[in-house]
Amino acid sequence: MSVPQHPAFAEYCEAIFELHEDEVDVIQARIAERLDVSRPAVSEMIRRMEAEGLVTLDGAIRLTPAGTRLAESVVRRHRLAERFLTDVLGLGWAEAHEEAGKWEHVLSETVEAAISRLLGEPTTCPHGNPIPGSGYEEPELVPLASLSVGDAFTVTRIPEELEFTPGVLEFLEEAELVPGRTGQLTAASPDGTVTVAIDDRHVGIGSFASARILVTPSVEPAA
């Protein structure tokens, strides 16, 4: 069965894929929130996607194999585009994320492959999220909020849920809380708010973000 290439189908499959990837319940309300559309519009589109064989409905909304293939193709182009826009063109995280949302619908397979070669076949986007088809192997990850005061860590992944939260990408990039950077948890509040040290800088992070930023714990304290 061929995969329908209607842009709306691709956008919805991408949203469902990313919500599932972030372990968020894939219900119509979450899709409406992610895509900034009305719930009736989501309901109608999901019915059309079910008829096209892209999703199944069994309490939660799940992608079929055809829906997954379509989602992975769009997510791959988006994350490769983000990597190109940041690494080669020097765009900031937030701007690259927005621009990649346009590129994901127009890149040909030839250009997609050329971008991947140029970048050295990357396995993640700038935020650490895996690029489908890249052979990415996920390390042992834990939420930043789960660490104890004094624990050292390496930032590994900023989930898509945070990419769609206004202002978060700009804040994390400015604070240099980006994949590959090491730090140490220096304070934690009962509500989940934490403070981390990155180099000589102390950064406060609210509970919403600290519960979602994924890190690799370090055995030895960060320098």
Side-chain angles (χ1 to χ4, degrees), residues 23-166:
E23 300 182 354
V24 176
D25 290 338
V26 185
I27 58 177
Q28 292 187 11
R30 297 289 80 75
I31 297 172
E33 183 180 84
R34 174 63 60 92
L35 296 178
D36 194 24
V37 296
S38 69
R39 293 191 188 185
V42 172
S43 180
E44 172 61 26
M45 180 58 72
I46 293 300
R47 283 197 294 270
R48 291 177 59 192
M49 293 174 68
E50 184 181 25
E52 292 285 352
L54 295 172
V55 299
T56 59
L57 307 176
D58 57 358
I61 300 167
R62 303 181 190 279
L63 293 173
T64 64
T68 298
R69 287 194 298 272
L70 177 55
E72 287 180 342
S73 69
V74 178
V75 171
R76 176 176 170 81
R77 290 195 297 268
H78 182 101
R79 293 178 181 176
L80 280 171
E82 283 184 317
R83 179 64 75 180
F84 178 81
L85 290 164
T86 56
D87 293 9
V88 178
L89 300 188
L91 269 63
W93 270 10
E95 189 174 8
H97 177 68
E98 182 178 352
E99 288 295 324
K102 305 169 187 175
W103 286 39
E104 68 188 30
H105 298 297
V106 298
L107 288 180
S108 67
E109 290 185 4
T110 300
V111 174
E112 173 193 315
I115 289 175
S116 186
R117 287 195 303 272
L118 175 67
L119 297 173
E121 310 294 345
T123 59
T124 69
C125 76
H127 319 110
N129 294 305
I131 295 173
S134 68
Y136 172 81
E137 295 184 9
E138 185 166 87
E140 197 71 33
L141 302 177
V142 300
L144 178 60
S146 71
L147 300 181
S148 299
V149 173
D151 285 351
F153 62 86
T154 300
V155 180
T156 305
R157 187 170 172 185
I158 310 298
E160 289 284 344
E161 190 174 8
L162 293 180
E163 294 188 43
F164 282 90
T165 304

